[in-house]
């Protein structure tokens, strides 16, 4: 009786473990009979499609706990929809396998998604892929009749037996859950400590190049990832370039010479679409550059700075084939986030340094220009003081400057046979303004009025403006047109009036106004230079007596 129970138990265990043997046998027969390169089995478990087994280039993997379908290709694929879409043609052609990373020249792939049933009950889907040189489909439903019959006969029982065996295993392992949790927590704690050490080392990095080297070296050593690499990208130019990575032997190498256009694959699109998610591919080709160097799991984590993708971190298990557990996934996500944050800070620091250097250069240039201008101004003021040609307070030409310029102006008038307009101008109630508002305000007022007078005289009327004293100006203009000169004189008075500068000492207007007298004189050899302004000054006095803010003409 006891031997019978042992025999029954042994038979049950053989049946329970038969699903992986069945998958391995079926995959092997597909390779031999149909020349298949890549195979994946997806089974329905409680209305959820899961990855049960896969084979890539003769490398077989069985997943006892079943994995999410996305971990076969690295992105979500609706296998049911794909099978229905190609039901009539059975197979279809594309440039890449579902788990491929790089397109090979003159190489195409034929795919077929085969539904598996137990009578009318759906069991799952089998993906088969094979290399082809042409776009003519070679797969035929007849070639897979034996597979459908085998699945109809055995697959459902083997799935149920496997799940029952898994339940038994789970029950037997219940007493080990606490120890497993403790192990997981210890593993997570170790990874966190190592990540903290890596982050501290990041503070020594002053460039992105050195930062990526530290991340790859310590990520490989502290997080037990066989190979790692960090790539940067520019989404606008669609370019990617390497930084540091590991070669097929696990040595850290400089990959900064690697630069090309970003590959247009669904795996890349999925990684860029899902922010802050680790994209995992199981049992896929692994590459060094564009050269395939093995089979294993591959992970990718895009690094985002807001809405800008600055690159990604990649890793695999080429050397030792270690499995990828959840604590390691979380550690890699945190590492990618830390690298991204540090790259952003380094870029901001580099940009700030460039801007600072530019500002230093501009400031140095401006200081040199200012020094030169100060030197010229000092020389000019020194000469003017030496010659006593400018007013000490306002810096405007004084009466001596006018007298020195008179011979040249008279010579020009005789040569061009033009007359000289002599204009005498007073700022009304200026002495009262200076007493009431102060010397500084009076000086500023004189400068403002001088600007108005020069602006109204314009560039078409050559002449000389000088400041005599106590709000009095003398102006000589070279012109023959009486009407234009009258208009210029009146515009000067009106412009100052409309400045609306308050002057409480002006009883009539309560603002700053001008009184102006003008005469027009023909210049000859006998014209007396000292008397040319006398008549204009008399007319100005008349304008003041008539009520200020007016023009008196000869």
């Amino acid at each position: 009786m006891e031997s019978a129970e042992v025999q029954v138990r042994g038979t049950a265990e053989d049946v329970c473990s038969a699903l992986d043997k069945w998958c391995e046998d079926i995959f092997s027969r597909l390779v031999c009979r149909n020349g298949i390169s890549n195979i994946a089995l997806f089974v329905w478990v409680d209305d959820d499609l899961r990855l049960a087994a896969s084979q890539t280039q003769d490398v077989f993997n069985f997943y006892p706990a079943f994995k999410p379908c996305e971990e076969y290709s690295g992105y979500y694929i609706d296998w049911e929809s794909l099978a229905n879409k190609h039901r009539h043609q059975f197979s279809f052609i594309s440039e890449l396998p579902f788990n491929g990373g790089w397109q090979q020249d003159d190489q195409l792939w034929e795919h077929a998604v085969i539904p598996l049933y137990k009578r009318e009950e759906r069991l799952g889907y089998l993906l088969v892929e094979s290399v082809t040189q042409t776009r003519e489909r070679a797969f035929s439903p007849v070639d897979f009749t034996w597979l459908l019959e085998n699945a109809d006969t055995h697959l459902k029982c083997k799935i149920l037996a496997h799940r029952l065996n898994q339940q038994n295993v789970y029950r037997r392992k219940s007493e080990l859950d606490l120890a497993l949790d403790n192990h997981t927590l210890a593993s997570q704690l170790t990874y966190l400590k190592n990540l903290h050490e890596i982050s501290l080392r990041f503070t020594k990095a002053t460039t992105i190049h050195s930062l990526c080297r530290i991340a790859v070296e310590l990520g490989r050593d502290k997080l037990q990832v066989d190979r790692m690499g960090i790539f940067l990208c520019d989404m606008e130019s669609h370019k990617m370039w390497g930084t540091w990575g590991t070669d097929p032997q696990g040595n850290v190498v400089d990959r900064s010479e690697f630069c090309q256009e970003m590959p247009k694959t669904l795996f890349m699109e999925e990684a860029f679409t899902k922010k802050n998610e680790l994209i995992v591919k199981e049992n896929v080709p692994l590459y060094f550059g564009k050269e395939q160097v093995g089979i294993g799991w591959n992970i990718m984590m895009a690094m985002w700075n807001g809405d800008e993708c600055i690159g990604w971190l990649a890793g695999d298990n080429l050397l030792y084939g270690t499995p990828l557990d959840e604590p390691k996934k979380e550690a890699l996500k945190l590492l990618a986030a830390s690298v991204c944050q540090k790259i952003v800070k380094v870029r901001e620091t580099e940009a700030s340094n460039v801007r600072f250097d530019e500002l230093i250069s501009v400031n140095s240039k401006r200081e040199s220009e200012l020094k030169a201008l100060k030197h010229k101004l000092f020389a000019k003021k020194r000469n003017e003081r030496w010659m006593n040609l400018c007013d000490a307070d306002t810096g405007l030409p004084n009466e001596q400057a006018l007298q020195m310029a008179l011979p040249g102006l008279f010579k020009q008038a005789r040569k061009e046979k033009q007359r000289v307009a002599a204009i005498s101008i007073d700022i009304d109630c200026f002495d009262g303004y200076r007493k009431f508002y102060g010397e500084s305000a009076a000086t500023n007022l004189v400068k403002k009025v001088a600007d108005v007078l020069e602006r109204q005289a314009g560039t078409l009327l050559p002449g000389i403006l000088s400041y005599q004293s106590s709000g009095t100006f003398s102006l000589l203009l070279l012109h023959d047109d009486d009407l234009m000169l009258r208009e210029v004189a009146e515009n000067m008075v009106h412009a100052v009036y409309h400045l609306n500068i308050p002057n409480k000492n002006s009883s009539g207007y309560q603002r700053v106004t001008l009184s102006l007298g003008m005469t027009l004189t023909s210049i000859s050899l006998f014209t007396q230079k000292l008397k040319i302004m006398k008549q204009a000054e008399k007319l100005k006095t008349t304008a003041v007596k008539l009520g200020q803010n007016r023009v008196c003409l000869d």
Side-chain angles (χ1 to χ4, degrees):
M1 183 69 177
E2 197 171 86
S3 61
E5 289 179 358
V6 171
Q7 184 177 2
V8 170
R9 192 184 307 120
T11 303
E13 289 177 354
D14 290 341
V15 172
C16 290
S17 63
L19 180 59
D20 60 336
K21 301 299 182 184
W22 182 87
C23 291
E24 191 169 6
D25 177 62
I26 290 296
F27 288 7
S28 177
R29 290 166 67 182
L30 284 168
V31 172
C32 294
R33 289 189 180 189
N34 304 90
I36 306 300
S37 299
N38 298 335
I39 312 167
L41 174 64
F42 305 93
V43 297
W44 288 104
V45 179
D46 299 331
D47 293 327
D48 185 21
L49 197 62
R50 308 279 289 181
L51 174 64
S54 66
Q55 181 167 312
T56 302
Q57 301 175 12
D58 298 329
V59 178
F60 174 80
N61 268 292
F62 181 75
Y63 311 106
F66 301 152
K67 286 183 173 286
C69 293
E70 293 82 6
E71 294 200 8
Y72 175 70
S73 54
Y75 49 91
Y76 173 76
I77 296 176
D78 190 342
W79 298 106
E80 183 178 14
S81 172
L82 199 59
N84 294 333
K85 179 179 178 181
H86 298 282
R87 178 182 301 173
H88 299 293
Q89 294 85 3
F90 187 71
S91 66
F92 57 97
I93 305 293
S94 73
E95 296 177 346
L96 280 173
F98 282 101
N99 62 4
W102 299 98
Q103 179 181 349
Q104 303 296 327
D105 296 336
D106 301 325
Q107 180 173 292
L108 300 173
W109 287 81
E110 183 176 5
H111 321 267
V113 182
I114 306 171
L116 304 177
Y117 288 91
K118 174 68 175 181
R119 295 185 180 88
E120 299 299 326
E121 181 184 356
R122 62 180 184 176
L123 300 177
Y125 298 93
L126 189 74
L127 168 69
V128 293
E129 298 178 308
S130 180
V131 178
T132 179
Q133 302 301 324
T134 66
R135 288 193 173 272
E136 294 183 4
R137 297 190 298 273
F139 292 164
S140 171
V142 178
D143 299 331
F144 300 93
T145 303
W146 64 271
L147 168 66
L148 299 176
E149 293 175 350
N150 194 309
D152 180 72
T153 305
H154 301 289
L155 182 57
K156 181 178 180 180
C157 292
K158 294 186 181 298
I159 292 174
L160 291 174
H162 178 76
R163 294 187 64 190
L164 178 61
N165 183 50
Q166 289 297 106
Q167 292 296 328
N168 292 333
V169 169
Y170 293 150
R171 282 196 295 270
R172 287 196 297 269
K173 286 183 177 179
S174 60
E175 60 189 30
L176 301 177
D177 283 347
L178 180 59
L180 180 61
D181 290 342
N182 290 337
H183 174 75
T184 301
L185 290 173
S187 178
Q188 290 176 337
L189 181 60
T190 301
Y191 282 135
L192 288 175
K193 289 181 178 178
N194 291 337
L195 283 170
H196 178 66
E197 181 179 344
I198 294 173
S199 298
L200 292 178
R201 287 286 299 276
F202 281 170
T203 58
K204 298 182 179 180
T206 56
T207 64
I208 294 177
H209 194 64
S210 61
L211 166 68
C212 293
R213 178 167 188 170
I214 293 173
V216 170
E217 287 180 344
L218 296 184
R220 180 196 60 176
D221 297 338
K222 300 295 184 180
L223 304 183
Q224 290 83 51
V225 179
D226 294 357
R227 294 197 312 155
M228 281 186 61
I230 297 175
F231 298 86
L232 302 179
C233 67
D234 184 351
M235 300 299 289
E236 292 185 1
S237 63
H238 212 68
K239 290 286 187 180
M240 60 174 284
W241 57 93
T243 57
W244 286 87
T246 44
D247 62 14
Q249 290 73 42
N251 302 310
V252 177
V253 291
D254 187 351
R255 300 286 288 158
S256 55
E257 80 286 351
F258 180 77
C259 180
Q260 67 166 45
E261 287 192 3
M262 293 174 59
K264 299 178 181 179
T265 65
L266 290 175
F267 180 57
M268 298 287 287
E269 292 180 6
E270 188 78 7
F272 291 139
T273 302
K274 295 184 177 180
K275 291 186 179 181
N276 303 321
E277 288 191 26
L278 188 74
I279 308 300
V280 181
K281 294 177 71 174
E282 287 283 0
N283 198 26
V284 295
L286 306 178
Y287 296 92
F288 184 68
K290 290 187 176 181
E291 178 186 357
Q292 183 180 337
V293 292
I295 303 290
W297 55 254
N298 184 27
I299 60 99
M300 176 178 174
M301 179 76 177
M303 299 184 294
W304 289 87
N305 177 29
D307 294 329
E308 176 193 7
C309 181
I310 64 176
W312 64 88
L313 181 146
D316 60 46
N317 65 337
L318 173 68
L319 300 177
Y320 305 108
T322 53
L324 183 64
D325 56 11
E326 291 302 320
K328 185 175 293 186
K329 289 181 182 179
E330 292 300 319
L332 289 170
K333 288 174 65 175
L334 293 174
L335 176 63
S338 181
V339 171
C340 177
Q341 184 182 31
K342 184 61 177 178
I343 287 176
V344 171
K345 288 184 177 180
V346 171
R347 284 182 172 177
E348 290 176 350
T349 301
E350 291 176 347
S352 298
N353 291 337
V354 170
R355 290 195 296 270
F356 180 74
D357 292 340
E358 291 176 350
L359 290 174
I360 291 295
S361 177
V362 171
N363 184 62
S364 177
K365 184 178 179 180
R366 294 291 182 268
E367 285 182 349
S368 299
E369 293 175 352
L370 180 61
K371 185 176 180 180
L373 289 173
K374 285 182 176 179
H375 179 73
K376 291 181 180 179
L377 181 62
F378 174 77
K380 181 176 180 294
K381 288 184 175 181
R382 181 183 59 190
N383 292 336
E384 289 175 345
R385 284 196 301 270
W386 178 72
M387 298 179 69
N388 194 25
L389 298 178
C390 63
D391 181 72
D393 296 327
T394 62
L396 297 173
N398 58 16
E399 185 175 2
Q400 185 174 346
L402 178 67
Q403 295 300 324
M404 291 184 66
L406 278 177
L409 183 69
F410 284 7
K411 183 178 180 180
Q412 183 181 355
R414 287 192 297 268
K415 181 178 179 180
E416 297 178 2
K417 297 181 179 180
Q418 290 184 329
R419 290 183 294 176
V420 172
I423 305 175
S424 181
I425 307 164
D426 255 6
I427 300 176
D428 296 325
C429 307
F430 180 75
D431 291 335
Y433 182 93
R434 181 166 53 194
K435 290 179 181 179
F436 188 84
Y437 294 100
E439 291 290 343
S440 178
T443 301
N444 291 333
L445 175 62
V446 170
K447 292 179 180 179
K448 289 180 181 179
V449 171
D451 289 340
V452 171
L453 298 177
E454 290 179 344
R455 188 165 57 250
Q456 294 299 325
T459 57
L460 298 177
L461 300 176
I464 305 169
L465 174 69
S466 68
Y467 178 62
Q468 304 300 309
S469 64
S470 299
T472 301
F473 294 90
S474 295
L475 178 61
L476 296 177
L477 297 176
L478 199 62
H479 207 275
D480 271 339
D481 192 335
D482 295 356
L483 294 177
M484 177 176 285
L485 290 169
R486 177 188 293 271
E487 182 179 355
V488 168
E490 290 176 350
N491 288 342
M492 289 178 180
V493 174
H494 294 159
V496 172
Y497 178 83
H498 290 293
L499 288 177
N500 293 323
I501 301 175
N503 184 5
K504 294 184 178 181
N505 292 280
S506 175
S507 58
Y509 299 97
Q510 294 292 300
R511 68 176 73 183
V512 173
T513 58
L514 297 183
S515 294
L516 183 148
M518 183 178 72
T519 62
L520 195 61
T521 307
S522 296
I523 303 299
S524 67
L525 292 173
F526 305 103
T527 303
Q528 297 183 13
K529 302 180 181 64
L530 297 177
K531 293 183 178 181
I532 193 169
M533 293 294 301
K534 295 297 183 182
Q535 185 62 28
E537 291 174 357
K538 290 181 180 179
L539 291 173
K540 176 194 66 177
T541 303
T542 302
V544 173
K545 291 179 179 179
L546 292 176
Q548 305 174 352
N549 191 37
R550 66 185 64 241
V551 176
C552 284
L553 305 176
D554 186 2

